[in-house]
Amino acid sequence: MLVAACADGGRAGQLWPRPSAPGASPPPTPPPLPRLLLLLLLPAVLLGCAGAQYSSDLCSWKGSGLTHEAHKKEVEQVYLRCSAGSVEWMYPTGALIVNLRPNTFSPSRHLTVCIKPFRDSSGANIYLEKTGELRLLVRDGDSEPSRVQCFSLEQGGLFVEATPQQDISRRATGFQYELMNGRQALDLHVLTAPCRPCSDTEVLLAVCTSDFVVRGSIQDVIHEPERQESVIHLRVSRLYRQKSRVFQPAPEGNGHWQGHVTTLLECGVRPGHGDFLFTGHMHFGEAQLGCAPRFSDFQRMYRDAEERGLNPCEIGTE
């Protein structure tokens, strides 16, 4: 049996017979391979060896601008094929074109991209680019660098351009990204207009499509100005659905749960009395609040839709 020799000491693409066990008779010499077959096999062997020397993460990319010559403004192409990942560019110089090509059957016009810059991201501007036209998404030095930005994939791709710096040694630009299909993107008002109250239709759809749906009350709200976020601590009396174990059983038991969700600081959320229906989605590892009507209002919406046969799904309202 023949094996490719890609280890140290072997030449890439060279074929060696597998050694015999001690004391065993040497294996018979195999007949020579036809020249055409050797020519067909050689590229595959060489590619296999190259793959052993280099690894590529198709979800995330990490690179350095120090590989560019200082006097050249090079543009580097980055190709990512996952529904979520990150880009981290140390010592940015020149520019990056980030090509998101997810392995999905959904047409690109049905896909929405959301990016969330790292909190300390600096050294570059991030643009939406299509056919040479640029629209600024994140400005270097933005006072709210971690604000989520969303756009349709058919609107263009991401162009990351380093800004002139006297000293790049402390600069690093990076962001997380997520791709969502049309149904997942129904909650995008949470990201683009998070403080706007949901319509009745949006509430009913959120009940059916959200990552978490619970009935409960607000126990406490902690504002974090440095992150431009508010953390809302909830006490949950009924758990309809959740992903990623956002809510855990309360220490005192009694069938109650507890957990927290986040929303933007500008929404001005305050502790209040009464029960609410809380819905939302997991984005970038965090539970982000979506529609949250008072539970009595949700009961009214649900009954009205039920009488007209317009409920998109069923859920207990008692």
Side-chain angles (χ1 to χ4, degrees):
M1 181 178 180
L2 299 180
V3 295
C6 295
D8 292 344
R11 293 185 300 242
Q14 183 176 354
L15 299 177
W16 295 98
R18 187 181 299 278
S20 304
S25 300
T29 303
L33 292 172
R35 183 184 299 271
L36 179 59
L37 183 56
L38 281 173
L39 292 175
L40 292 174
L41 285 175
L42 185 57
V45 173
L46 290 174
L47 286 173
C49 294
Q53 297 170 26
Y54 300 97
S55 63
S56 176
D57 184 344
L58 297 181
C59 298
S60 298
W61 179 89
K62 184 175 182 179
S64 170
L66 296 181
T67 58
H68 298 168
E69 295 183 30
H71 64 281
K72 290 185 178 180
K73 292 186 177 180
E74 298 184 2
V75 178
E76 186 167 353
Q77 298 274 354
V78 174
Y79 293 90
L80 301 172
R81 301 192 64 84
C82 294
S83 59
S86 63
V87 171
E88 187 174 359
W89 194 19
M90 309 294 292
Y91 320 118
T93 61
L96 298 177
I97 295 178
V98 181
N99 300 277
L100 300 175
R101 299 290 184 268
N103 293 317
T104 175
F105 294 108
S106 299
S108 61
R109 65 180 181 275
H110 296 155
L111 292 175
T112 296
V113 182
C114 290
I115 65 169
K116 182 179 182 180
F118 296 151
R119 190 183 307 179
D120 299 324
S121 179
S122 65
N125 295 324
I126 303 176
Y127 298 90
L128 178 64
E129 184 276 333
K130 186 171 184 179
T131 62
E133 295 186 5
L134 298 177
R135 178 164 70 87
L136 184 63
L137 295 177
V138 182
R139 185 186 301 277
D140 184 21
D142 194 337
S143 60
E144 299 179 19
S146 59
R147 174 73 65 90
V148 173
Q149 301 278 352
C150 299
F151 56 91
S152 169
L153 192 57
E154 68 176 352
Q155 289 181 270
L158 291 170
F159 182 78
V160 187
E161 184 180 33
T163 54
Q165 304 289 337
Q166 294 293 329
D167 178 14
I168 65 170
S169 62
R170 297 180 181 273
R171 303 288 178 173
T173 294
F175 58 87
Q176 297 170 276
Y177 73 89
E178 289 183 353
L179 278 79
M180 295 169 283
N181 60 33
R183 178 165 291 276
Q184 291 172 313
L186 287 172
D187 70 317
L188 281 184
H189 77 280
V190 176
L191 301 173
T192 57
C195 306
R196 175 177 63 81
C198 294
S199 66
D200 289 6
T201 300
E202 287 172 333
V203 169
L204 295 173
L205 284 175
V207 168
C208 304
T209 62
S210 293
D211 292 338
F212 62 87
V213 181
V214 300
R215 175 182 179 177
S217 58
I218 299 175
Q219 294 296 101
D220 193 15
V221 179
I222 299 175
H223 300 298
E224 299 185 357
E226 69 281 0
R227 298 184 61 185
Q228 291 295 302
E229 286 184 346
S230 295
V231 180
I232 308 167
H233 292 267
L234 305 179
R235 181 177 176 82
V236 174
S237 58
R238 183 162 185 181
L239 182 69
Y240 294 102
R241 182 189 316 120
Q242 73 165 332
K243 292 182 180 179
S244 304
R245 298 183 63 83
V246 174
F247 302 97
Q248 303 285 338
E252 65 272 19
N254 300 325
H256 286 83
W257 301 66
Q258 63 183 19
H260 69 269
V261 299
T262 64
T263 191
L264 289 185
L265 182 66
E266 66 189 58
C267 295
V269 176
R270 298 186 303 273
H273 299 290
D275 274 8
F276 295 81
L277 183 77
F278 297 99
T279 70
H281 285 259
M282 299 299 298
H283 289 296
F284 306 107
E286 296 183 350
Q288 296 186 353
L289 183 63
C291 298
R294 287 194 173 274
F295 197 77
S296 57
D297 291 336
F298 164 66
Q299 289 176 309
R300 173 192 55 77
M301 299 175 197
Y302 190 90
R303 284 195 300 266
D304 290 348
E306 193 173 39
E307 290 173 0
R308 292 178 291 164
L310 298 177
N311 274 346
C313 65
E314 295 184 0
I315 189 172
T317 58
E318 300 302 326

